[in-house]
Structure formats: C-alpha cells, structure tokens
Amino acid sequence: MATITFLGAAQEVTGSCHLLESPAVGRVLLDCGMHQGGDAVERIQDEEFVFDPATIDAVLLSHAHLDHSGMLPRLYHEGFRGDVICNGATAELLHVMLHDSVGLYLRDLERTNLRNARRGRPAIEPVYNQDDVNGVLGLCRGYRFGERNSLGQGGTVVFHDAGHILGSSIIEVLINEGDEPRTLVFSGDLGKKDSVLMNAPAKLQHADVVLMESTYGDREHRGEQDSLLQLRDILQQTWKRGGSVMIPAFAVGRTQDILFHLGCLAQQGELDPWEVFLDSPMAIDVTKIYDRWLDLLDGDEVRHLSDAQKTSLETFVPTLNLAVSTEESMAINRIKGGAIIIAGSGMCTGGRIRHHFKQRIWDDRNTIIFTGFQAQGTLGRILVEGVNRIKLFGEEYVVKARIETLGGLSAHAGQSGLIEWIGGFEPAPRTVLVHGEVRSQEALRLKLADKLQLQAEIPRRGESITF
C-alpha cells in the first residue's frame, strides 16, 4: 500500500510538495517548492518541513520554477542526500534558478539584519546558503522524456513532456508491490496546446491515481493570436500617451514567450519605435539555455522560424537591450517614454520590476502588463485586483499606470485543456486536484462531474490518501 501526503500546493497555488511513501519506492517527494507572497525573508524563515529531510530517499521534480523547486537547498541543509530526479533541461535550469534565488535571499537577509541591528534586535541566521545550493545541485540526475528509470527497490519513474516550460514534466511512477502494480501520475504544471514555444502536454492513458494541477480550473484563456493583437493594441495606445510598458515576467518560460511575441510584432513592423529592455540577469541566462534546447521546443512557430531567427530568441527582437548590471538597469530610468521593460519577479514579490514601479507606476501614461497567474498575497495580485496605492521600499505610491492582463500568454492549461487531458485516461483514475485556489478547484470539480462523471477530490494541506 502506498500513501501520499499533501504538504504544499493543497488548496493553494504555490509551495508544491507531496510526500509519496511505499515499501517499493521508499520516501519520495514530488516537488519541493517554496511559497510565494509577503516578505521574502519572513516567508523563507517560516518554511518548515514536517518530516526529517534525512529520511527522504529521492525528490522527483516536475520543473524548475521556484514554487516547485525553491526549497531544495533547505532540504539539503537539513540532511537530505538522496537523488533529485528530473528532465535534463530542468537540471540545467536549476543551476541558474537556485543560485539566483539564494543570492536574492541572502541580500534581503543582509538588509533585514541591518534594520534589526539599528533597532537593537538580534540577527537572523540564514536557513541555507550557496554551499547548500551547490550541494543539492550535485545530487541532480537529468533524464530524457520517455526514459524509464529505477526508483527504490520496486519502482520505476518516467518523465513525459508537460508543455509548461522547458523541461517541465508529467511524472509517472509505477509501484510494484505484491501482485497488483499501481501507477501514480503527477501532472506537474500542464501547458496549453497552442503555446508558441512548447509542445502540447503528453497524453497518458492509464493511472490508478492522478494528481492534477488546477490553477486555471475556473476559466479559459484567450487564443495566442488574440493575445498578440491585444498586445499590439496596448502598445499602440501606450505609445500615443507617450508612456512606457512594464511587464513583470518569470525568468523561465514567460520571458521567452514574451520575447517571441514581441519578435512577431517586430517582423510585422509593429515594434519599430520601441526600445525593448530585458532587465533580468537570470532571464538572460535562461534565454541562452532555451536557445541550446531549441530543438526540444518543436512547436509549429519554432519550426517556421528562419535560420537567422532560430539562431537566438534574442536576435528575433532587433531593438532588444540586455541589462545585466545594476548600472544598466538604472539607466533605463532616463528613458521617459517608448520603453518596454521586462523584469522579474513575475508576481512582483521582489526583483528589479519593483524598482521600475517606483519610477513609473504613479504616471498615468504608463502601462503594466501581467501575463501570468498572480498568487494571493503577492503585489501582482493586489495590482490586478485594482488597488489604488501601494508601498514600495518603505514609501507609498499612488497607482495611476494602466493595468492590463494578457491571459492568452499563460503557460498553464485552461479549464477545457485540463478536462481534455484527464479525459484521456481509460478507465477514469482516482483524481486529486492540487496546485489551485479553492474557487478554481471547486469550479473544475463540478465540470469534471458534469462532463466526465468523474468525482475529483480536493485535499487540504496535511491530508493523506492511500492506494
């Protein structure tokens, strides 16, 4: 008998972590992600494992986004020495993601400790450091999609393309105990069929239990072409006002999608007057990794790129400027209009985008474009919901910039895509909804019952199921 305990992304979107326990495979984590929202230092300091990390035999990692991978260094710091098993592209992306994440954390912690010192408060010790990042990266084992790998004494794991970001995987675990082998499928984050850079998610046909994400379980996305036209119109309107555009973007996946769409507009002559700034050292490094793995990203749009364009996603946008240093980032402030600024973080919880907000969010000529899900408690969510004032770096700012959302650029499947994917299993498996807010999950559960006569479960954090 196997047990799954839901330790994160249970009735919430971030912090993906599920514990699989079975004599055949041992104690295995499906993802080890951090929660997002609120103060970064407080959030990381407050994260705690309800298990002894030294007893975990392996981590099966669906992809490199920090809400799925960000607590790996702390897991190592507290005694984990098993394998981190993932797709090969994910293993390469982790080097960039985790080093950048720990660097930001330690810098934020240093600032926090300076404030504490001025107030006579004790210093806060880091819960992990660069040595822990290097240590856990040394445990990574990258495999190809479709490759069968042994897990524990009687298990097998296979990764399938989830179509969400580079390397993102649907994880299939075959558990051989007794006379009746069982199959667990963890969807990770599922992409859309019409994503410009990614393949459609792989369709599996058999599972006893499926853990399925439900981020957009209550809604559909606009089509990619509609979103491209919407982006063109937003840029035209902002140009007429004499403003600039700020795009908060995740370094992995979303930034590359945005660059591709801007490149399409550039090829149509729609981007000529704009200067485009990619203001994220991590996103720049990740884009270079995408270039190296471009053959894996074999959607129609990528296949139809000319040889010159396919050399690099960066060269697809002729007016692109790369801001690596702090000085290059600050120099963007001197441009008063006609700048498209792509910067992290995607939910505005940190990073350089907050500095650009400080310079421009109070000016009604400017526009902020959100292209992905904004979790509860994040600055991005507050802005999307229409707040009038925000606090940045201890000062209050009025929000006058226009707020726009391009839902069609989301890297997640919408409701119909989720229903179609789970509907491919025969017979219908036991289905558990994870990685979604309760409203989205309840809406999806009703649709699954209506369309497929499938009764899905919605576990709370800490709950377990056996199969």
Side-chain angles (χ1 to χ4, degrees), residues 16-19 25 27-33 49 51 53 56-63 68-69 71-72 75-76 80-87 94 136 139-141 143 151 157 159 171:
S16 180
C17 186
H18 314 291
L19 175 61
V25 301
R27 307 187 81 217
V28 176
L29 290 183
L30 303 172
D31 286 347
C32 188
F49 300 118
F51 51 82
I56 300 300
D57 298 300
V59 178
L60 305 181
L61 190 62
S62 66
H63 63 287
H68 293 257
S69 70
M71 294 310 293
L72 286 171
L75 192 75
Y76 181 89
F80 170 71
R81 293 299 183 271
D83 288 337
V84 178
I85 306 171
C86 57
N87 175 263
L94 276 180
V136 80
L139 303 177
C140 284
R141 306 289 180 264
Y143 296 97
L151 182 66
V157 61
F159 294 92
I171 302 175

Side-chain angles (χ1 to χ4, degrees), residues 104-385:
L104 290 173
Y105 163 60
L106 293 176
R107 286 193 291 274
D108 286 346
L109 183 60
E110 183 179 8
R111 286 192 290 267
T112 297
N113 281 333
L114 283 173
R115 289 197 300 269
N116 286 345
R118 290 195 296 266
R119 298 168 183 172
R121 298 174 181 172
I124 301 171
E125 293 296 321
V127 296
Y128 58 81
N129 55 36
Q130 290 283 4
D131 289 340
D132 298 312
V133 171
N134 292 329
V136 80
L137 288 173
L139 303 177
C140 284
R141 306 289 180 264
Y143 296 97
R144 298 185 300 274
F145 289 137
E147 185 176 353
R148 297 172 68 88
N149 308 286
S150 296
L151 182 66
Q153 296 180 347
T156 303
V157 61
V158 185
F159 294 92
H160 306 273
D161 194 346
H164 173 63
I165 64 167
L166 182 65
S168 61
S169 302
I170 300 163
I171 302 175
E172 180 183 17
V173 182
L174 292 83
I175 302 170
N176 298 305
E177 286 179 2
D179 298 329
E180 295 186 12
R182 284 150 292 155
T183 301
L184 166 69
V185 170
F186 173 43
S187 73
D189 285 357
L190 293 171
K192 303 178 302 175
K193 291 194 300 184
D194 64 346
S195 176
V196 294
L197 290 181
M198 303 304 302
N199 303 315
K203 291 186 177 181
L204 282 65
Q205 296 180 331
H206 171 74
D208 296 290
V209 177
V210 174
L211 311 186
M212 184 175 76
E213 72 120 317
S214 50
T215 311
Y216 286 98
D218 62 341
R219 72 197 92 165
E220 300 290 0
H221 301 307
R222 299 182 67 169
E224 292 279 349
Q225 187 59 35
D226 289 341
S227 295
L228 184 63
L229 295 176
Q230 184 186 0
L231 176 59
R232 181 201 64 188
D233 292 344
I234 292 171
L235 294 179
Q236 289 178 350
Q237 293 162 10
T238 306
W239 181 267
K240 290 178 182 177
R241 296 195 304 269
S244 291
V245 170
M246 295 166 282
I247 307 179
F250 299 106
V252 182
R254 201 59 43 80
T255 291
Q256 292 73 39
D257 281 345
I258 292 166
L259 287 176
F260 184 89
H261 281 82
L262 290 174
C264 290
L265 291 177
Q267 303 307 308
Q268 298 167 15
E270 301 280 359
L271 208 64
D272 293 346
W274 289 93
E275 285 191 81
V276 181
F277 296 89
L278 179 51
D279 188 16
S280 169
M282 180 168 63
I284 292 167
D285 288 341
V286 167
T287 301
K288 294 174 182 176
I289 294 174
Y290 264 65
D291 290 339
R292 290 199 294 273
W293 288 82
L294 203 56
D295 289 342
L296 187 66
L297 312 178
D298 61 358
D300 289 341
E301 291 84 355
V302 174
R303 282 195 293 268
H304 293 156
L305 289 177
S306 70
D307 290 339
Q309 293 164 350
K310 196 171 179 179
T311 301
S312 169
L313 287 173
E314 297 168 19
T315 60
F316 195 32
V317 186
T319 60
L320 180 64
N321 301 274
L322 304 180
V324 177
S325 68
T326 303
E327 291 74 21
E328 289 170 326
S329 176
M330 294 174 63
I332 302 171
N333 296 333
R334 294 197 288 269
I335 300 174
K336 301 307 178 185
I340 299 173
I341 306 163
I342 307 165
S345 65
M347 295 185 188
C348 313
T349 53
R352 293 181 177 181
I353 195 65
R354 294 168 70 97
H355 293 276
H356 293 296
F357 283 176
K358 178 180 177 180
Q359 298 293 327
R360 302 176 191 269
I361 201 167
W362 43 266
D363 189 335
D364 62 7
R365 296 174 298 174
N366 297 324
T367 303
I368 300 171
I369 302 177
F370 288 97
T371 62
F373 186 84
Q374 304 297 311
Q376 286 185 346
T378 62
L379 176 58
R381 179 67 165 262
I382 294 169
L383 288 169
V384 168
E385 291 178 345

Side-chain angles (χ1 to χ4, degrees), residues 390-442:
I390 62 171
K391 184 167 277 191
L392 292 169
F393 311 106
E395 296 185 25
E396 191 174 82
Y397 293 84
V398 63
V399 179
K400 289 189 175 180
R402 300 195 183 190
I403 310 296
E404 301 280 357
T405 299
L406 291 182
L409 296 193
S410 172
H412 288 265
Q415 185 186 78
S416 61
L418 294 170
I419 294 172
E420 180 183 352
W421 184 79
I422 195 67
F425 289 87
E426 291 288 347
R430 183 177 183 180
T431 301
V432 183
L433 302 182
V434 296
H435 206 279
E437 294 177 359
V438 175
R439 181 181 64 183
S440 298
Q441 293 181 321
E442 290 290 356

